[in-house]
Amino acid sequence: MNYGSKRTVVGAHYGIRDWLAQRVTAALMVLFTIVVLAQLIFAQGEIGYELWAGIFAAQWMKFVTFGVIIALVWHVWVGVRDVWMDYVQSVGLRLTLQVFTIVWLVGCAGWAFQVLWRL
C-alpha cells in the first residue's frame, strides 16, 4: 500500500489557477472602468464623439484597452468553459460549443484590435 505524497491525483487541475485568473482579470476590468469613468467625470465640455475619441487617441490607452480586452476574453473563456464542462454531458456537443466559443472570442478580440487601430 502506498499512501501519502505518492498518491496520484486525477482531474483537470484548473482549480486555483482559474479562480485566480477570474479574480485578476475582474480586478483589471474594474480598474480600467474606474479610469475611463474618471476621465469622463473630470472632462470639460459635452460628452460626445470628440471626448471618446480623445480618451482613446493616445497609443498607451489603446494598448491598455486592448490588454483589458484580452483580460475580458480570458475571463469569459474561463467562465463559459466551466459552464460547458459542468452542464453539457455530451462530449461531442461540449467540444463543439468550446470550439465555437474560442472562435467567437478570438473574432471579438480581432474586431476590437481593428476598432482600436482603425485597420
Side-chain angles (χ1 to χ4, degrees), residues 29-96:
M29 291 183 283
V30 167
L31 287 173
F32 179 78
T33 302
I34 290 169
V35 167
V36 172
L37 285 175
Q39 289 182 357
L40 289 173
I41 290 169
F42 296 115
Q44 302 293 329
E46 190 175 321
I47 297 177
Y49 175 79
E50 292 78 21
L51 178 62
W52 283 104
I55 290 172
F56 294 98
Q59 197 67 19
W60 69 268
M61 187 61 170
K62 290 179 183 183
F63 280 111
V64 168
T65 302
F66 193 67
V68 170
I69 289 169
I70 295 301
L72 175 66
V73 166
W74 190 5
H75 188 91
V76 170
W77 166 245
V78 170
V80 172
R81 187 205 60 217
D82 287 351
V83 169
W84 295 150
M85 288 191 320
D86 289 345
Y87 296 108
V88 179
Q89 299 302 316
S90 168
V91 175
L93 178 59
R94 183 171 51 230
L95 180 62
T96 301

